[in-house]
């Protein structure tokens, strides 16, 4: 079979765990009812009806209790604890209920089908020893079982594992495809939001004067989910810089001139390229005022006019993030 690495993010959510537990509960109840019903069907004279009725009633009871259990509180593998119970009930029915091997084997396939639906690939392989013992021991202890019934364990277990692995791997691929579709949708929505902001800013540029335009540009940063923004203007001689249109920062920052090379804005102008600092508070270029304002990650980009960089647009976030 094709090797598939299991992505933990796709498995074991609260909804998955609850669904797995209730699927198992439902199978217990249905199997129990079928077992009880078998005592009324033609040919029931060959069965030990008392044992079959008790096994069926026990399965229904286990299913009822399993349905009410809070599976979301436990690990996704907690539902596997139900398997020894199911194998045990099947083994008791096979040993003392005089069930034919053909009917006996169907229950194992049902169990493996549930394993494929509820658990990641390769889980069925870990169940093989217990499942095989539950199949072989009752037959070995039953006198007069059909020839080859015990040898059939290889076929029954092989079919069970094949069914479980096929289902689990198919579901895993489907979950991955849905996850990729959701990521693509989120990226498309993000790009649409960016275009909306650009369109809004472009419309503002066409209607307003310089001061209003610059303020609108800084305000547009806030629409992208960033809490801090400002423009840093450099003097004509390139010796100093001064901030303006501060958003999320103290207005006092606009009253002080800084060396042109200072901070993230100075490095951005020097390199004439967008600069990103994911961990701003610990970076050597961090300004104390910005750290005090809660900036944890920052991005700055040059504003070019006629092949010059008279200003730098700075934006920051209160949470660590990767731009």
């Amino acid at each position: 079979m094709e090797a598939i690495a299991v992505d933990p993010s796709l498995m074991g959510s609260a909804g998955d765990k609850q669904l797995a537990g209730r699927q198992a509960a439902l199978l217990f109840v249905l199997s129990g009812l079928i077992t009880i019903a078998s005592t009324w069907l033609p040919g029931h004279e060959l069965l030990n009806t008392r044992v079959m009725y008790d096994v069926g009633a026990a399965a229904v009871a286990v299913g009822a209790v399993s349905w009410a259990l809070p599976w979301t509180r436990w690990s996704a593998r907690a539902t596997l604890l139900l398997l020894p119970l199911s194998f045990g009930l099947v083994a008791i029915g096979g040993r003392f209920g005089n069930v034919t091997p053909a009917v006996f084997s169907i229950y194992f396939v049902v169990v493996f089908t549930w394993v494929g639906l509820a658990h990641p690939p390769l889980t069925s392989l870990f169940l093989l020893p217990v499942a095989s013992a539950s199949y072989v021991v009752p037959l070995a202890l039953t006198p007069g079982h059909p020839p080859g019934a015990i040898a059939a364990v290889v076929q029954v277990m092989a079919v069970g594992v094949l069914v479980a692995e096929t289902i689990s791997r198919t579901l895993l691929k489907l979950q991955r495809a849905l996850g990729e579709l959701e990521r693509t949708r989120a990226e498309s929505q993000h790009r649409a939001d960016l275009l909306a902001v650009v369109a809004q800013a472009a419309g503002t540029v066409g209607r307003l004067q310089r001061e209003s335009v610059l303020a609108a540009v800084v305000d547009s940063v806030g629409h992208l989910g960033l809490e801090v923004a400002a423009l840093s203007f450099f003097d004509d001689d390139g010796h100093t810089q001064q901030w303006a249109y501060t958003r999320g920062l103290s207005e006092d920052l606009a009253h002080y001139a800084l060396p042109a090379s200072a901070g993230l804005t100075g490095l951005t102008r020097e390199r004439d390229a967008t600069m990103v600092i994911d961990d701003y508070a610990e970076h050597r270029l961090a300004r104390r005022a910005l750290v005090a304002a809660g900036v944890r990650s920052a991005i700055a980009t040059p504003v070019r006019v006629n092949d010059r960089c008279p200003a730098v647009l700075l934006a920051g976030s209160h949470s660590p993030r990767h731009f």
Side-chain angles (χ1 to χ4, degrees), residues 71-113:
W71 296 108
T72 55
R73 297 182 183 177
W74 305 317
S75 165
R77 291 187 175 274
T79 53
L80 293 175
L81 295 175
L82 294 173
L83 293 181
L85 286 174
S86 63
F87 288 144
L89 290 175
V90 173
I92 291 172
R95 171 63 182 88
F96 300 104
N98 297 330
V99 180
T100 62
V103 175
F104 186 53
S105 61
I106 292 175
Y107 286 95
F108 288 95
V109 177
V110 171
V111 171
F112 277 108
T113 299

Side-chain angles (χ1 to χ4, degrees), residues 190-233:
H190 180 61
R191 291 177 181 179
D193 292 342
L194 290 176
L195 288 174
V197 171
V198 171
Q200 180 181 5
T204 303
V205 169
R207 295 193 305 268
L208 302 178
Q209 298 300 315
R210 177 180 181 276
E211 295 297 319
S212 298
V213 169
L214 294 175
V217 169
V218 178
D219 288 338
S220 295
V221 173
H223 297 313
L224 300 177
L226 298 170
E227 298 88 355
V228 172
L231 276 169
S232 181
F233 292 95

Side-chain angles (χ1 to χ4, degrees), residues 63 128 145 167 193 195 198 219 263 299 317:
L128 272 179
H145 58 73
I167 293 174
D193 292 342
L195 288 174
V198 171
D219 288 338
I299 181 171
S317 173

Side-chain angles (χ1 to χ4, degrees), residues 177-321:
L178 291 175
E180 184 62 30
L181 181 62
E182 177 59 25
R183 284 190 290 271
T184 301
R185 186 205 64 79
E187 290 178 3
S188 298
Q189 183 61 48
H190 180 61
R191 291 177 181 179
D193 292 342
L194 290 176
L195 288 174
V197 171
V198 171
Q200 180 181 5
T204 303
V205 169
R207 295 193 305 268
L208 302 178
Q209 298 300 315
R210 177 180 181 276
E211 295 297 319
S212 298
V213 169
L214 294 175
V217 169
V218 178
D219 288 338
S220 295
V221 173
H223 297 313
L224 300 177
L226 298 170
E227 298 88 355
V228 172
L231 276 169
S232 181
F233 292 95
F234 295 84
D235 64 6
D236 293 337
D237 296 331
H239 297 312
T240 61
Q241 59 174 302
Q242 190 163 1
W243 288 17
Y245 308 104
T246 55
R247 301 292 185 268
L249 297 169
S250 171
E251 295 182 0
D252 293 339
L253 291 176
H255 298 160
Y256 303 100
L258 299 171
S261 60
L264 178 59
T265 51
L267 184 62
T268 299
R269 179 176 180 270
E270 177 185 339
R271 296 186 178 181
D272 195 26
T274 298
M275 305 294 297
V276 174
I277 299 178
D278 293 329
D279 189 4
Y280 184 82
E282 302 297 329
H283 201 274
R284 63 179 179 82
L285 294 177
R287 287 194 62 184
R288 186 178 304 173
L290 270 66
V291 175
V295 175
R296 294 296 176 265
S297 51
I299 181 171
T301 190
V303 178
R304 298 184 182 91
V305 178
N306 297 329
D307 296 326
R308 295 176 56 252
C309 179
V312 168
L313 177 62
L314 173 73
S317 173
H318 288 164
S319 59
R321 59 190 294 178

